[in-house]
Amino acid sequence: MRILTATALLFLAALATADVTFTEKAKVTTSSILRANDSRATTTNAASIKGRKMKLAATDDAAKPTRVFIFDGEKTLQRDTFPRKETYGEVTAEGFTNRVDAAKKRVEDFETKVESLTGDKQARMSNYIWHTKKVLGLLTQTPSVELKRTGEKQKIGEWDCERIVITEENAKGEMETVFDCWMTEQLEGWNAYLDFYAAYRAFSPAVLEKMRELKGFHVKGTFIPYYFDGDAFLETNEVDNSDVKKVDLAAAEFEVPANYKNTTKK
């Protein structure tokens, strides 16, 4: 067995933990749970990841950033910055905890009302209760979840990818796809997204556990998170990150400029 030198080991470690930049192009279909107001949109963000920090920047026609979203998975800290106004708002770890507590109380309230409703209103409220209890891990019977490494291989951009599919049992007992992506282990970056979805409770605990088994980066594919805020919605994201590349990013790129004003409501 060949013994690697310390220099070689450091070089390999650097390759494994390299930062990435890419253009996140997505077709987004939003399916509302409590109201019939579904929508479709196409989004493009200049994206970058350093360790467990993720940044997404929306730009105008002159390629100047209009909104920059920064999520720090280590601190469970989200910051939305608005360069034109030099302002930002933030959600802290405490804020994410409060969000979950509010959802639990809302479910309890809805459960006392759902039987008094009929037709579409009852169906939508029941759907909200089931989906929200699922992502919060409150269902009496945990839905089945399966992760399949399909063995299908494809080179996308510069990267060798394998198609990975995660399915989950729905309220009718049928298996539905919630994650279908071409992943490469030649890059890192998926964990930053996983931190975000875990903070938002956008997938059930069982699905998040399967997602933690994944290594690398999602170059292309579809995933369907659920958000219980407001009218609540399922969000089908068809993403294309195929121009992703390894880079070396400064930590300062993931910080809010010192002159920006925090407009977060207390």
Side-chain angles (χ1 to χ4, degrees), residues 208-225:
L208 289 171
E209 193 61 34
K210 291 295 184 183
M211 287 179 168
R212 289 188 180 94
E213 296 179 19
L214 302 179
K215 297 179 181 179
F217 180 78
H218 56 299
V219 178
K220 195 172 185 178
T222 301
F223 38 90
I224 310 174

Side-chain angles (χ1 to χ4, degrees), residues 112-131:
T112 66
K113 298 176 180 178
V114 67
E115 294 302 325
S116 65
L117 302 175
T118 58
D120 184 61
K121 287 185 178 180
Q122 185 183 66
R124 286 183 176 277
M125 186 172 285
S126 296
N127 201 17
Y128 174 89
I129 292 170
W130 189 85
H131 274 93

Side-chain angles (χ1 to χ4, degrees), residues 160-222:
D160 298 322
C161 303
E162 179 183 6
R163 184 183 173 208
I164 297 176
V165 178
I166 300 175
T167 55
E168 182 176 36
E169 187 179 9
N170 63 20
K172 297 178 181 179
E174 303 164 338
M175 297 302 287
E176 288 185 337
T177 299
V178 295
F179 180 95
D180 184 348
C181 286
W182 291 90
M183 303 283 295
T184 181
E185 293 191 10
Q186 295 172 305
L187 301 167
E188 296 292 338
W190 169 246
N191 283 339
Y193 276 80
L194 179 57
D195 284 334
F196 171 82
Y197 288 129
Y200 268 93
R201 304 290 189 96
F203 293 96
S204 71
V207 168
L208 289 171
E209 193 61 34
K210 291 295 184 183
M211 287 179 168
R212 289 188 180 94
E213 296 179 19
L214 302 179
K215 297 179 181 179
F217 180 78
H218 56 299
V219 178
K220 195 172 185 178
T222 301

Side-chain angles (χ1 to χ4, degrees), residues 42-144:
T42 300
T43 64
T44 302
N45 290 297
S48 53
I49 295 174
K50 184 178 183 67
R52 294 172 63 187
K53 295 179 181 179
M54 172 175 61
K55 181 170 72 173
L56 304 175
T59 59
D60 59 19
D61 293 337
K64 293 183 178 181
T66 56
R67 177 186 177 187
V68 180
F69 171 91
I70 303 170
F71 189 85
D72 186 335
E74 293 182 3
K75 298 178 180 178
T76 314
L77 176 63
Q78 172 182 311
R79 287 175 170 173
D80 268 303
T81 76
F82 301 91
R84 290 175 177 174
K85 297 181 180 179
E86 296 186 346
T87 62
Y88 73 98
E90 66 180 11
V91 182
T92 63
E94 181 182 7
F96 282 106
T97 298
N98 292 341
R99 174 178 174 269
V100 169
D101 291 341
K104 289 178 179 178
K105 291 178 181 178
R106 194 180 192 192
V107 165
E108 291 174 0
D109 180 51
F110 279 9
E111 286 182 318
T112 66
K113 298 176 180 178
V114 67
E115 294 302 325
S116 65
L117 302 175
T118 58
D120 184 61
K121 287 185 178 180
Q122 185 183 66
R124 286 183 176 277
M125 186 172 285
S126 296
N127 201 17
Y128 174 89
I129 292 170
W130 189 85
H131 274 93
T132 303
K133 291 181 77 170
K134 183 188 72 170
V135 297
L136 295 179
L138 299 176
L139 291 176
T140 303
Q141 184 173 348
T142 302
S144 297

